[in-house]
mmCIF file of all heavy atoms in Angstrom:
data_model
loop_
_atom_site.group_PDB
_atom_site.id
_atom_site.type_symbol
_atom_site.label_atom_id
_atom_site.label_comp_id
_atom_site.label_asym_id
_atom_site.label_seq_id
_atom_site.Cartn_x
_atom_site.Cartn_y
_atom_site.Cartn_z
ATOM 1 N N LEU A 1 0.835 -1.240 -0.030
ATOM 2 C CA LEU A 1 0.017 0.026 -0.021
ATOM 3 C C LEU A 1 0.862 1.284 -0.001
ATOM 4 O O LEU A 1 0.597 2.203 -0.739
ATOM 5 C CB LEU A 1 -0.921 -0.028 1.181
ATOM 6 C CG LEU A 1 -1.941 -1.141 1.296
ATOM 7 C CD1 LEU A 1 -2.763 -1.064 2.537
ATOM 8 C CD2 LEU A 1 -2.914 -1.083 0.011
ATOM 9 N N SER A 2 1.912 1.219 0.868
ATOM 10 C CA SER A 2 2.813 2.391 0.915
ATOM 11 C C SER A 2 3.432 2.565 -0.484
ATOM 12 O O SER A 2 3.599 3.773 -0.955
ATOM 13 C CB SER A 2 3.884 2.195 2.010
ATOM 14 O OG SER A 2 4.724 3.263 2.108
ATOM 15 N N LEU A 3 3.982 1.610 -1.056
ATOM 16 C CA LEU A 3 4.647 1.559 -2.376
ATOM 17 C C LEU A 3 3.677 2.131 -3.468
ATOM 18 O O LEU A 3 4.022 3.017 -4.202
ATOM 19 C CB LEU A 3 5.122 0.168 -2.749
ATOM 20 C CG LEU A 3 5.747 -0.040 -4.109
ATOM 21 C CD1 LEU A 3 6.662 -1.244 -4.013
ATOM 22 C CD2 LEU A 3 4.769 -0.269 -5.212
ATOM 23 N N ALA A 4 2.407 1.668 -3.455
ATOM 24 C CA ALA A 4 1.386 2.053 -4.442
ATOM 25 C C ALA A 4 1.132 3.604 -4.353
ATOM 26 O O ALA A 4 1.160 4.288 -5.291
ATOM 27 C CB ALA A 4 0.108 1.288 -4.342
ATOM 28 N N ALA A 5 0.916 4.073 -3.048
ATOM 29 C CA ALA A 5 0.762 5.462 -2.830
ATOM 30 C C ALA A 5 1.940 6.287 -3.343
ATOM 31 O O ALA A 5 1.835 7.327 -3.993
ATOM 32 C CB ALA A 5 0.443 5.726 -1.478
ATOM 33 N N ALA A 6 3.165 5.828 -2.932
ATOM 34 C CA ALA A 6 4.382 6.569 -3.375
ATOM 35 C C ALA A 6 4.577 6.619 -4.906
ATOM 36 O O ALA A 6 5.145 7.596 -5.453
ATOM 37 C CB ALA A 6 5.586 5.866 -2.659
ATOM 38 N N ALA A 7 3.971 5.621 -5.582
ATOM 39 C CA ALA A 7 4.194 5.620 -7.038
ATOM 40 C C ALA A 7 3.259 6.577 -7.824
ATOM 41 O O ALA A 7 3.443 6.776 -8.984
ATOM 42 C CB ALA A 7 3.884 4.168 -7.521
ATOM 43 N N LYS A 8 2.298 7.171 -7.036
ATOM 44 C CA LYS A 8 1.314 8.056 -7.590
ATOM 45 C C LYS A 8 1.398 9.338 -6.765
ATOM 46 O O LYS A 8 0.399 9.681 -6.065
ATOM 47 C CB LYS A 8 -0.066 7.459 -7.644
ATOM 48 C CG LYS A 8 -0.148 6.120 -8.339
ATOM 49 C CD LYS A 8 0.021 6.250 -9.789
ATOM 50 C CE LYS A 8 -0.237 4.927 -10.543
ATOM 51 N NZ LYS A 8 -0.253 5.036 -12.081
ATOM 52 N N PRO A 9 2.445 10.121 -6.827
ATOM 53 C CA PRO A 9 2.597 11.285 -5.959
ATOM 54 C C PRO A 9 1.716 12.457 -6.094
ATOM 55 O O PRO A 9 1.611 13.267 -5.286
ATOM 56 C CB PRO A 9 4.106 11.724 -6.142
ATOM 57 C CG PRO A 9 4.416 11.202 -7.501
ATOM 58 C CD PRO A 9 3.636 9.978 -7.764
ATOM 59 N N HIS A 10 0.908 12.443 -7.214
ATOM 60 C CA HIS A 10 0.002 13.529 -7.437
ATOM 61 C C HIS A 10 -1.327 13.077 -7.555
ATOM 62 O O HIS A 10 -2.287 13.827 -8.006
ATOM 63 C CB HIS A 10 0.431 14.352 -8.692
ATOM 64 C CG HIS A 10 1.757 14.937 -8.574
ATOM 65 N ND1 HIS A 10 2.131 15.980 -7.767
ATOM 66 C CD2 HIS A 10 2.972 14.521 -9.143
ATOM 67 C CE1 HIS A 10 3.344 16.289 -7.729
ATOM 68 N NE2 HIS A 10 3.904 15.397 -8.644
ATOM 69 N N GLY A 11 -1.782 11.799 -7.251
ATOM 70 C CA GLY A 11 -2.970 11.181 -7.499
ATOM 71 C C GLY A 11 -3.899 11.243 -6.291
ATOM 72 O O GLY A 11 -3.508 11.598 -5.179
ATOM 73 N N VAL A 12 -5.103 10.834 -6.630
ATOM 74 C CA VAL A 12 -6.077 10.646 -5.574
ATOM 75 C C VAL A 12 -6.092 9.180 -5.210
ATOM 76 O O VAL A 12 -6.279 8.275 -5.970
ATOM 77 C CB VAL A 12 -7.558 11.017 -6.030
ATOM 78 C CG1 VAL A 12 -8.593 10.710 -4.827
ATOM 79 C CG2 VAL A 12 -7.549 12.490 -6.458
ATOM 80 N N ILE A 13 -5.801 8.861 -3.890
ATOM 81 C CA ILE A 13 -5.611 7.573 -3.388
ATOM 82 C C ILE A 13 -6.895 7.326 -2.469
ATOM 83 O O ILE A 13 -7.249 8.207 -1.705
ATOM 84 C CB ILE A 13 -4.393 7.483 -2.427
ATOM 85 C CG1 ILE A 13 -3.105 8.130 -3.043
ATOM 86 C CG2 ILE A 13 -4.118 6.072 -1.993
ATOM 87 C CD1 ILE A 13 -2.599 7.586 -4.246
ATOM 88 N N ALA A 14 -7.518 6.222 -2.814
ATOM 89 C CA ALA A 14 -8.807 5.920 -2.112
ATOM 90 C C ALA A 14 -8.777 4.558 -1.369
ATOM 91 O O ALA A 14 -7.967 3.686 -1.824
ATOM 92 C CB ALA A 14 -9.901 5.854 -3.061
ATOM 93 N N GLU A 15 -9.510 4.536 -0.280
ATOM 94 C CA GLU A 15 -9.676 3.286 0.415
ATOM 95 C C GLU A 15 -11.177 3.070 0.858
ATOM 96 O O GLU A 15 -11.816 4.004 1.308
ATOM 97 C CB GLU A 15 -8.901 3.347 1.702
ATOM 98 C CG GLU A 15 -8.960 2.101 2.597
ATOM 99 C CD GLU A 15 -8.355 2.273 3.944
ATOM 100 O OE1 GLU A 15 -8.386 3.363 4.452
ATOM 101 O OE2 GLU A 15 -7.773 1.295 4.408
ATOM 102 N N SER A 16 -11.616 1.951 0.546
ATOM 103 C CA SER A 16 -12.995 1.462 0.979
ATOM 104 C C SER A 16 -12.866 0.550 2.094
ATOM 105 O O SER A 16 -12.233 -0.435 1.984
ATOM 106 C CB SER A 16 -13.758 0.800 -0.165
ATOM 107 O OG SER A 16 -14.874 0.254 0.309
ATOM 108 N N GLY A 17 -13.267 0.934 3.269
ATOM 109 C CA GLY A 17 -13.204 0.154 4.465
ATOM 110 C C GLY A 17 -12.051 0.548 5.338
ATOM 111 O O GLY A 17 -11.090 -0.102 5.392
ATOM 112 N N THR A 18 -12.196 1.745 5.991
ATOM 113 C CA THR A 18 -11.208 2.289 6.838
ATOM 114 C C THR A 18 -10.817 1.442 8.000
ATOM 115 O O THR A 18 -9.652 1.172 8.285
ATOM 116 C CB THR A 18 -11.580 3.708 7.412
ATOM 117 O OG1 THR A 18 -12.193 4.447 6.366
ATOM 118 C CG2 THR A 18 -10.384 4.388 8.014
ATOM 119 N N GLY A 19 -11.880 0.778 8.613
ATOM 120 C CA GLY A 19 -11.610 0.014 9.787
ATOM 121 C C GLY A 19 -10.951 0.758 10.844
ATOM 122 O O GLY A 19 -11.287 1.890 11.155
ATOM 123 N N SER A 20 -9.958 0.052 11.498
ATOM 124 C CA SER A 20 -9.185 0.723 12.518
ATOM 125 C C SER A 20 -8.119 1.743 12.025
ATOM 126 O O SER A 20 -7.437 2.322 12.781
ATOM 127 C CB SER A 20 -8.561 -0.342 13.398
ATOM 128 O OG SER A 20 -7.648 -1.161 12.661
ATOM 129 N N GLY A 21 -8.035 1.762 10.657
ATOM 130 C CA GLY A 21 -7.026 2.745 10.115
ATOM 131 C C GLY A 21 -5.709 2.252 9.737
ATOM 132 O O GLY A 21 -4.857 3.072 9.365
ATOM 133 N N VAL A 22 -5.491 0.993 9.906
ATOM 134 C CA VAL A 22 -4.159 0.431 9.605
ATOM 135 C C VAL A 22 -3.766 0.526 8.129
ATOM 136 O O VAL A 22 -2.714 1.095 7.824
ATOM 137 C CB VAL A 22 -4.083 -1.071 10.028
ATOM 138 C CG1 VAL A 22 -2.734 -1.656 9.609
ATOM 139 C CG2 VAL A 22 -4.302 -1.255 11.519
ATOM 140 N N GLY A 23 -4.668 0.212 7.221
ATOM 141 C CA GLY A 23 -4.412 0.406 5.778
ATOM 142 C C GLY A 23 -4.282 1.783 5.464
ATOM 143 O O GLY A 23 -3.368 2.267 4.655
ATOM 144 N N THR A 24 -5.126 2.684 6.080
ATOM 145 C CA THR A 24 -5.070 4.072 5.950
ATOM 146 C C THR A 24 -3.635 4.700 6.191
ATOM 147 O O THR A 24 -3.079 5.478 5.520
ATOM 148 C CB THR A 24 -6.108 4.801 6.645
ATOM 149 O OG1 THR A 24 -7.375 4.079 6.654
ATOM 150 C CG2 THR A 24 -6.383 6.255 6.190
ATOM 151 N N ALA A 25 -3.085 4.191 7.378
ATOM 152 C CA ALA A 25 -1.761 4.666 7.778
ATOM 153 C C ALA A 25 -0.763 4.226 6.847
ATOM 154 O O ALA A 25 0.208 4.972 6.581
ATOM 155 C CB ALA A 25 -1.542 4.138 9.239
ATOM 156 N N TRP A 26 -0.804 2.982 6.307
ATOM 157 C CA TRP A 26 0.249 2.543 5.349
ATOM 158 C C TRP A 26 0.077 3.314 4.058
ATOM 159 O O TRP A 26 1.096 3.755 3.523
ATOM 160 C CB TRP A 26 0.040 1.039 5.013
ATOM 161 C CG TRP A 26 0.568 0.183 5.990
ATOM 162 C CD1 TRP A 26 -0.028 -0.593 6.976
ATOM 163 C CD2 TRP A 26 2.023 -0.127 6.179
ATOM 164 N NE1 TRP A 26 0.950 -1.278 7.731
ATOM 165 C CE2 TRP A 26 2.132 -1.038 7.224
ATOM 166 C CE3 TRP A 26 3.161 0.303 5.482
ATOM 167 C CZ2 TRP A 26 3.409 -1.560 7.622
ATOM 168 C CZ3 TRP A 26 4.370 -0.157 5.902
ATOM 169 C CH2 TRP A 26 4.506 -1.110 6.935
ATOM 170 N N LEU A 27 -1.183 3.662 3.597
ATOM 171 C CA LEU A 27 -1.279 4.498 2.408
ATOM 172 C C LEU A 27 -0.667 5.854 2.681
ATOM 173 O O LEU A 27 0.003 6.427 1.895
ATOM 174 C CB LEU A 27 -2.745 4.595 2.036
ATOM 175 C CG LEU A 27 -3.380 3.350 1.367
ATOM 176 C CD1 LEU A 27 -4.891 3.463 1.414
ATOM 177 C CD2 LEU A 27 -2.863 3.047 0.005
ATOM 178 N N HIS A 28 -0.999 6.419 3.863
ATOM 179 C CA HIS A 28 -0.503 7.687 4.292
ATOM 180 C C HIS A 28 1.049 7.793 4.331
ATOM 181 O O HIS A 28 1.592 8.846 3.955
ATOM 182 C CB HIS A 28 -1.166 8.085 5.595
ATOM 183 C CG HIS A 28 -0.903 9.452 6.078
ATOM 184 N ND1 HIS A 28 0.156 9.704 7.042
ATOM 185 C CD2 HIS A 28 -1.345 10.674 5.768
ATOM 186 C CE1 HIS A 28 0.169 11.057 7.213
ATOM 187 N NE2 HIS A 28 -0.669 11.657 6.426
ATOM 188 N N SER A 29 1.578 6.690 4.642
ATOM 189 C CA SER A 29 3.069 6.626 4.736
ATOM 190 C C SER A 29 3.762 6.864 3.466
ATOM 191 O O SER A 29 4.989 7.309 3.388
ATOM 192 C CB SER A 29 3.596 5.334 5.455
ATOM 193 O OG SER A 29 3.399 4.239 4.572
ATOM 194 N N GLY A 30 3.063 6.540 2.381
ATOM 195 C CA GLY A 30 3.624 6.712 1.033
ATOM 196 C C GLY A 30 3.030 7.925 0.286
ATOM 197 O O GLY A 30 3.374 8.141 -0.911
ATOM 198 N N LEU A 31 2.164 8.599 0.970
ATOM 199 C CA LEU A 31 1.447 9.805 0.337
ATOM 200 C C LEU A 31 2.330 10.912 -0.132
ATOM 201 O O LEU A 31 3.048 11.480 0.732
ATOM 202 C CB LEU A 31 0.384 10.280 1.271
ATOM 203 C CG LEU A 31 -0.832 11.048 0.639
ATOM 204 C CD1 LEU A 31 -1.640 10.174 -0.375
ATOM 205 C CD2 LEU A 31 -1.681 11.566 1.770
ATOM 206 N N GLY A 32 2.290 11.289 -1.407
ATOM 207 C CA GLY A 32 3.104 12.380 -1.863
ATOM 208 C C GLY A 32 2.524 13.752 -1.488
ATOM 209 O O GLY A 32 1.352 13.856 -1.108
ATOM 210 N N ALA A 33 3.406 14.726 -1.520
ATOM 211 C CA ALA A 33 2.969 16.136 -1.118
ATOM 212 C C ALA A 33 1.762 16.567 -1.905
ATOM 213 O O ALA A 33 0.898 17.345 -1.460
ATOM 214 C CB ALA A 33 4.127 17.048 -1.249
ATOM 215 N N GLY A 34 1.692 16.145 -3.240
ATOM 216 C CA GLY A 34 0.548 16.651 -4.109
ATOM 217 C C GLY A 34 -0.521 15.676 -4.243
ATOM 218 O O GLY A 34 -1.393 15.847 -5.090
ATOM 219 N N ALA A 35 -0.568 14.660 -3.385
ATOM 220 C CA ALA A 35 -1.589 13.626 -3.447
ATOM 221 C C ALA A 35 -2.650 13.835 -2.402
ATOM 222 O O ALA A 35 -2.533 14.682 -1.570
ATOM 223 C CB ALA A 35 -0.998 12.225 -3.223
ATOM 224 N N ARG A 36 -3.697 13.131 -2.632
ATOM 225 C CA ARG A 36 -4.838 13.248 -1.741
ATOM 226 C C ARG A 36 -5.325 11.819 -1.393
ATOM 227 O O ARG A 36 -5.305 10.944 -2.192
ATOM 228 C CB ARG A 36 -5.998 13.840 -2.655
ATOM 229 C CG ARG A 36 -7.261 14.155 -1.840
ATOM 230 C CD ARG A 36 -7.468 15.627 -1.655
ATOM 231 N NE ARG A 36 -8.548 15.765 -0.629
ATOM 232 C CZ ARG A 36 -9.734 16.048 -0.936
ATOM 233 N NH1 ARG A 36 -10.203 16.098 -2.162
ATOM 234 N NH2 ARG A 36 -10.581 16.046 0.118
ATOM 235 N N LEU A 37 -5.623 11.568 -0.072
ATOM 236 C CA LEU A 37 -6.128 10.330 0.442
ATOM 237 C C LEU A 37 -7.511 10.492 0.918
ATOM 238 O O LEU A 37 -7.795 11.209 1.808
ATOM 239 C CB LEU A 37 -5.230 9.744 1.510
ATOM 240 C CG LEU A 37 -5.568 8.533 2.216
ATOM 241 C CD1 LEU A 37 -5.795 7.303 1.357
ATOM 242 C CD2 LEU A 37 -4.480 8.219 3.306
ATOM 243 N N VAL A 38 -8.441 9.648 0.381
ATOM 244 C CA VAL A 38 -9.808 9.667 0.886
ATOM 245 C C VAL A 38 -10.174 8.242 1.205
ATOM 246 O O VAL A 38 -10.080 7.301 0.398
ATOM 247 C CB VAL A 38 -10.790 10.281 -0.156
ATOM 248 C CG1 VAL A 38 -10.740 9.555 -1.551
ATOM 249 C CG2 VAL A 38 -12.176 10.257 0.354
ATOM 250 N N THR A 39 -10.747 8.066 2.315
ATOM 251 C CA THR A 39 -11.118 6.705 2.994
ATOM 252 C C THR A 39 -12.554 6.787 3.412
ATOM 253 O O THR A 39 -12.941 7.834 3.948
ATOM 254 C CB THR A 39 -10.050 6.176 3.932
ATOM 255 O OG1 THR A 39 -10.487 4.915 4.430
ATOM 256 C CG2 THR A 39 -10.044 7.169 5.169
#
């Protein structure tokens, strides 16, 4: 998840099923400065 987010530094990154936020945190760890994360 971190790698995928990092590979798209200006993209919109989405997650269906936040749950306790573990996947969200991994996506966030790779999130580029110009990217957006919506869960």
Side-chain angles (χ1 to χ4, degrees):
L1 296 177
S2 181
L3 177 156
K8 304 288 184 174
H10 302 287
V12 180
I13 315 296
E15 177 187 38
S16 168
T18 315
S20 60
V22 174
T24 317
W26 278 106
L27 289 166
H28 185 258
S29 73
L31 198 64
R36 182 111 199 264
L37 172 57
V38 56
T39 181

